[in-house]
């Protein structure tokens, strides 16, 4: 999800809310619960009235709103603490800026995940296994063929092509998932002329997820997509940014009035 973000905020003032305009010039209005959903969606499935208000405002069909038991078709280790889960789908390709909710019935905890690949047969999510992560620990104990409770896909927000001339992105760790989902949709739409710049931050080179895919997209669309990497721990051969996010790193992002910025990642993102 685009967590801890006020949608399309400028670099100079990242907490200022800017509402993108629709193609007809009118502004996209969000339900008041949007900010709750973006900032901390799916922390629990008990007593989250604002979240249900948001879902109701979207007028989604009942199949999307209900939880379904879906089988895990394939589990692929990506790094020492991250796995790729392929889950059987019952619908079509997930829309841009959308997510699914995965629930642990044993403790009634739920968490959102963004599909990096989706079609009518399956979708794939990246999961980093945190020692104290309720859902990630539940998933780590499952095997191929086991089922999980899934709801969605549902939009995090409605994306309109050409909503901004440029979009800057700051991602950390598995926060790359919603960015990658949107990047692919923008670049594969010939009618969408939006330019994208991504700053992707990780601890080590081995922690960089989807690097090959991102580099291919940047190579194939040099005039529309640029990606910059930052590492906290690195060798002498590293040529990207180093350390935590700084003003110098943020300077690569667009900052004019017709640009927006999306942020997603663990604290402090």
């Amino acid at each position: 999800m685009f967590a801890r973000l006020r949608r399309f905020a400028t670099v100079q003032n990242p907490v200022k809310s800017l509402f993108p305009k629709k193609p007809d010039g009118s502004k996209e209005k969000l339900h008041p619960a949007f900010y709750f959903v973006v900032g901390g969606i799916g922390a629990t499935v008990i007593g989250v009235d604002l979240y249900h208000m948001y879902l109701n405002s979207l007028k989604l069909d009942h199949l999307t709103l209900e939880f379904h038991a879906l089988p895990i078709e394939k589990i692929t280790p990506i790094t020492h603490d991250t796995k790729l889960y392929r889950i059987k789908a019952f619908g079509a390709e997930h829309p841009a800026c959308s997510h699914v909710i995965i629930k642990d019935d044993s403790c009634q905890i739920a968490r959102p995940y963004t599909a990096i690949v989706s079609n009518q047969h399956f979708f794939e999510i990246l999961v980093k296994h945190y020692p104290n992560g309720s859902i990630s620990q539940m998933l780590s104990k499952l095997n191929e063929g086991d089922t999980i409770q899934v709801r969605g896909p549902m939009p995090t927000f409605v994306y309109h092509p050409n909503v901004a001339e440029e979009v800057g992105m700051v991602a950390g760790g598995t926060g790359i998932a919603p960015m990658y989902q949107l990047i692919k949709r923008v670049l594969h739409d010939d009618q969408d002329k939006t330019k994208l710049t991504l700053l992707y931050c990780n601890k080590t080179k081995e922690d960089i997820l989807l690097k090959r895919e991102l580099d291919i997209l940047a190579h194939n669309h040099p005039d529309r997509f640029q990606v910059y990497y930052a590492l906290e721990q690195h060798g002498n051969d590293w040529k990207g940014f180093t350390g935590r996010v700084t003003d110098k790193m943020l300077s690569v992002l667009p900052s004019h009035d017709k640009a927006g910025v999306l942020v997603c990642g663990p604290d402090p993102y």
Side-chain angles (χ1 to χ4, degrees):
M1 232 64 43
F2 300 107
R4 311 186 191 286
L5 167 76
R6 306 303 186 268
R7 188 172 95 188
F8 281 2
T10 62
V11 175
Q12 296 94 330
N13 188 2
V15 298
K16 180 180 179 182
S17 299
L18 299 179
F19 292 90
K21 292 184 178 180
K22 297 180 181 179
D24 62 5
S26 62
K27 289 185 177 181
E28 175 71 29
K29 293 184 178 180
L30 302 178
H31 192 281
F34 170 83
Y35 298 104
F36 172 84
V37 173
V38 172
I41 186 172
T44 67
V45 294
I46 298 176
V48 190
D49 294 335
L50 283 177
Y51 181 55
H52 290 293
M53 288 168 58
Y54 170 74
L55 293 182
N56 290 334
S57 73
L58 297 176
K59 296 182 173 59
L60 301 173
D61 62 70
H62 71 282
L63 286 177
T64 299
L65 291 173
E66 293 176 355
F67 279 97
H68 299 267
L70 302 180
I72 299 173
E73 295 187 333
K74 187 176 182 180
I75 302 174
T76 306
I78 302 299
T79 69
H80 68 285
D81 61 0
T82 303
K83 294 179 181 178
L84 182 69
Y85 290 78
R86 175 175 292 186
I87 301 166
K88 183 177 177 59
F90 61 87
E93 184 178 12
H94 294 197
C97 303
S98 66
H99 61 277
V100 297
I101 302 292
I102 295 179
K103 180 177 67 169
D104 181 354
D105 273 337
S106 67
C107 58
Q108 290 300 293
I109 298 293
R111 191 189 187 289
Y113 289 93
T114 301
I116 61 170
V117 174
S118 65
N119 55 46
Q120 62 181 348
H121 303 296
F122 64 83
F123 63 91
E124 295 182 338
I125 58 172
L126 284 169
V127 179
K128 184 171 183 176
H129 298 288
Y130 295 96
N132 298 320
S134 298
I135 301 300
S136 66
Q137 284 300 308
M138 176 202 73
L139 291 171
S140 71
K141 298 172 183 176
L142 299 179
N143 300 309
E144 294 176 0
D146 291 339
T147 61
I148 54 176
Q149 293 292 321
V150 181
R151 175 165 62 183
M154 54 193 69
T156 306
F157 65 83
V158 179
Y159 174 76
H160 297 289
N162 302 304
V163 70
E165 286 186 1
E166 295 186 73
V167 173
M169 302 175 172
V170 182
T174 52
I176 190 61
M179 306 299 187
Y180 181 66
Q181 184 192 71
L182 180 57
I183 290 167
K184 287 197 304 178
R185 297 301 170 84
V186 171
L187 296 180
H188 292 166
D189 183 353
D190 293 337
Q191 303 304 313
D192 195 337
K193 306 304 181 183
T194 307
K195 295 183 179 180
L196 307 170
T197 303
L198 169 67
L199 173 62
Y200 186 23
C201 310
N202 287 278
K203 286 187 177 180
T204 69
K205 189 174 182 179
E206 290 70 29
D207 292 321
I208 301 176
L209 303 172
L210 302 172
K211 186 176 188 303
R212 178 177 178 274
E213 290 83 352
L214 291 169
D215 289 344
I216 290 175
L217 288 172
H219 179 268
N220 292 340
H221 304 272
D223 57 337
R224 294 190 60 205
F225 176 52
Q226 291 182 302
V227 57
Y228 298 87
Y229 300 100
L231 296 181
E232 292 183 30
Q233 304 170 19
H234 55 87
N236 294 330
D237 60 340
W238 177 249
K239 301 185 184 303
F241 287 119
T242 60
R244 296 205 169 209
V245 177
T246 64
D247 289 342
K248 180 180 179 181
M249 295 182 196
L250 294 177
S251 68
V252 304
L253 303 179
S255 58
H256 53 80
D257 291 341
K258 295 183 179 180
V261 173
L262 297 172
V263 181
C264 188
D267 290 331
Y269 294 93

